[in-house]
Amino acid sequence: MRHLLNRVAATLPVMAVVAVLVFLLIHLSPGDPAALIAGDTASADDIARLHAALGLDRPLWSQFLLWAGRLAQGDLGTSIFTHVPVSRLLAQRVEPTLSIALLTMTLAVAASIPLGVLAAHMAGRWVDRLVMLFAVLAFSVPVFLVGYLLIYGFAITLGWLPVQGYVPLSKGVGPWLSHLILPCVNLSLVYTALLTRMTRATVLDVLHEDHIRTARAKGLGVVAVLGHALRCAAIPIVTTIGVGIAFLIGGVVVTETVFAIPGIGRLVIDSVQRHDYPVIQSVLLLSAGLYVLVNLLIDLSYRLFDPRIRA
Amino acid sequence: MPTAHRPFPLKRAILGACAALPLLTAGTFAAAAFAADAPPVTLRMVPQADLKILDPMFTTNYVTRNFGYLVYDTLFGQDSHGVAKPQMVERYSRSEDGLTWHFTLRPGLAFHDGSPVRAADCVASLRRWAARDNYGRAMTAAGAEWRVDDAEDGGRNFTLTLKKPFGLVLEALSKVSGMIPVIMPEKLAEQSPSQPVTEVDGSGPYMFKRDEWVPGSKVVFVRNPHYAGRTDDPDFLSGNRTGRIDRIEWIYLPDANSATAALTTGEVDMLELVPPDYIGPLRADGDVRVVEGGAYQANLIVNQLHPPFDNPKIRQAVLHAVNQEAVVAAMGYPPDLRLAHCASFFICGGANDTAAGSEPYRKPDPALAKRLLDEAGYKGEPVVVLLPTDYASLNAAALVAIQTLKSIGMTVTVQSMDWATLVARRAKKDPPASGGWSVYVTQAATFDANSPINNFMLGAACGNGMPGWPCDEALDGLRADWIRAGTPEERRARLDGFQERAYQVVPYVPLGQFSAAFAIRKDVKHADRLWGDVPQLWMLDKAAGAP
């Protein structure tokens, strides 16, 4: 518990630095939301009045303190453009984003672990080469291209699945799943490739270790030996899975755009394009916090897999 | 082979009928219940942009304007011939000198919250609009004052008084684009005009479902069951605007490929603006109709505060060098949707189409352009071009413009940026070498270009706030004369003089005209009635049970 508290406490300065950096980067980049809101016919006076109304005419430090003060009270602010609270914008996007992240990673883990272990077991043979060829292809082909091909094949030609959109789980598992299959398959290909390579490499290393040779010499079956090897190789695999989940929750812009999923990635891009400062700041800060949290969970999970760390 | 005759089993038939009766009754009730719970007929449209601002009197964004026409109503509405027809107004009268106007609202008009629309709401709304809009400001300059009359007829009467003649009162009140004069409740209209109103309560044919709004993804409207439509047929923005479809969803699909695929599979019914590259493929789709959706003009905005474009002769040189056909072809529009050359600043083929003053510019003449540059004393001052990278058609037009400038010997510096950054940058009045700019490309739809007052880029009052900052007292005076004209005939007579002067001082460089296109599935009814670039969704209909 003390270890956990120490780790949590260590994240606070990281978050503070991230908050300052995010704020400065966004405000120092060129672009003016007031000019965008005011439109083509706005005069300089119109834009100046809008600056004042939005509080953008204040010194930067004053704007930062105001934002940080509200943030400390749990107020993420309000979108400059839509006047919708950022917390509501985030709440609307949490379910699609979590759904994509979890389903994608489930598909990726379900496919990559057996493939990686199989490739390691059959290292150097045609099965291994076939698996590695798949991994290279899946990792190399651009996500948007695979997305378009999936849409063309399964939505336009066969008509089995919808092209775009997201249906909440509350409207039924069928519609929810049918809208997620294509984007999640699209995304999972990349993670399947990554995890397969990672699993193959780490399991292969373990298979060459003395304790595995001993286990084989004692007559342990192939499945049991591979099971042991997989557990020993778990730490880098779990790390990759954890980072992958954090990345997916942080937003997968291309896939969300191609399949029109209203997730966090699109929220960030929309906000960046319009310089919607409160939304960008809050979402990026939360994403950073999420990365820190996932890293913490990964660190803690090492203790489950490696008794030496527990000790 | 003959069949054996068997007697009709009467007893069994009666018993069967008795047994079936409860089932039939139950079935009838079930069918009725099913009909009551039948899903609403829904039209799904992909808008041209995501809706961000909910106040159509605050911004010139087309998506906000289109939102405004669904949830709000206007006092007058233009028909497809450009004639202002009474919409919320039941009757109106004008004094002989044109300085006093009386208006009476139709009875039964109500906002979505059920409260009646009163003259006080109209007056407050028009005051708000006048504080922001170019027509409104011109009316204010003519001494316009809005006043609620005595509470006769249930508070439906109000009056406009002017101190100077203003010939465009009805045109202003039926303004199609830019900031449209919608009527909102007094308590909303009285909010500061420096900020957009965020609450929505209109009296239009559809109601905004805020609880289903997902900014960046979806906007939902449901039919206003209490909308008091007119009795005359709908015609563009006039006539009966009662909605036929129960529910409208705007699904924002930022990826053009996915949007086109969604239309092809029937997941959406309509694309409000088809990207030029997709017009051809959609025309080949047997289930989809691609329809011309209003004319646009691409324009090169030039910064007239600093060299080299502070010199009108250099602006004329660029105008001589431009090949409009090359620009609009590069933007991707097919030959039938683009013009080889448009000589009018006010939309070719429109009510104010004129070629006055354009004769010297009919054909691109790079040699003449180079000679004019020499005569103007151009010394190679750098031309800073703002190139938008996230706006495909404008990017293409800008690339052609860059090539044109280079071809006549101008020194060009290209600065690439996203549109949001460009919009902020263009407000800077600094010299191009100190963070300012020289030129950028933009476009304007019909109703933002089709008259000297609608075409805000021709506003040449010195000290004005328009990026480019054109300044020409003569042109500004001619514009004021045109606005003052009391009749369409007088305005028409003054139009040519205005355009001739525009061709002399070149407030901006026209790059060509093209028509946008919308695409709609063929099972949507009445698409043939749509006109112009405003999607009049209230006219459309779909069969019940359609996907």
Side-chain angles (χ1 to χ4, degrees), chain B residues 64-116:
Chain B
T64 301
R65 172 200 67 187
N66 299 343
F67 169 85
Y69 279 120
L70 282 179
V71 299
Y72 291 103
D73 214 344
T74 51
L75 295 175
F76 289 80
Q78 271 194 27
D79 67 12
S80 55
H81 304 287
V83 177
K85 296 279 186 67
Q87 190 62 22
M88 296 174 80
V89 164
E90 182 182 53
R91 58 183 185 274
Y92 68 97
S93 62
R94 168 186 184 273
S95 64
E96 210 160 281
D97 58 6
L99 296 179
T100 305
W101 296 68
H102 294 289
F103 302 93
T104 301
L105 292 171
R106 281 191 288 130
L109 299 176
F111 291 110
H112 296 156
D113 68 358
S115 59

Side-chain angles (χ1 to χ4, degrees), chain A residues 32 36-37 40-41 46 49-50 53 81-84 88-89 92-93 148 162-164 258 260 266 273-274, chain B residues 52-53 58-60 137 179 194-195 198 210 213 215-217 252-253 255 257-258 267 420 424 426 456:
Chain A
D32 181 1
L36 275 178
I37 293 171
D40 284 346
T41 58
D46 291 335
R49 273 195 293 275
L50 199 53
F81 283 81
T82 60
H83 291 267
V84 174
R88 191 184 155 209
L89 292 173
Q92 288 173 331
R93 283 162 170 79
Y148 289 151
V163 172
Q164 53 78 37
V258 168
R266 268 184 60 194
Q273 284 175 340
R274 292 169 201 274
Chain B
K52 295 288 182 196
I53 299 165
F58 189 83
T59 180
T60 53
R137 286 171 177 165
M179 298 169 201
S194 299
Q195 268 198 296
T198 55
R210 186 181 287 273
W213 182 30
S217 179
Y252 178 53
L253 301 178
D255 183 81
N257 203 47
S258 304
E267 286 174 49
R426 72 184 181 185
F456 53 88

Side-chain angles (χ1 to χ4, degrees), chain B residues 309-321:
Chain B
F309 294 114
D310 58 342
N311 184 339
K313 211 161 192 174
I314 292 184
R315 303 198 293 270
Q316 289 169 5
V318 175
L319 191 53
H320 277 293

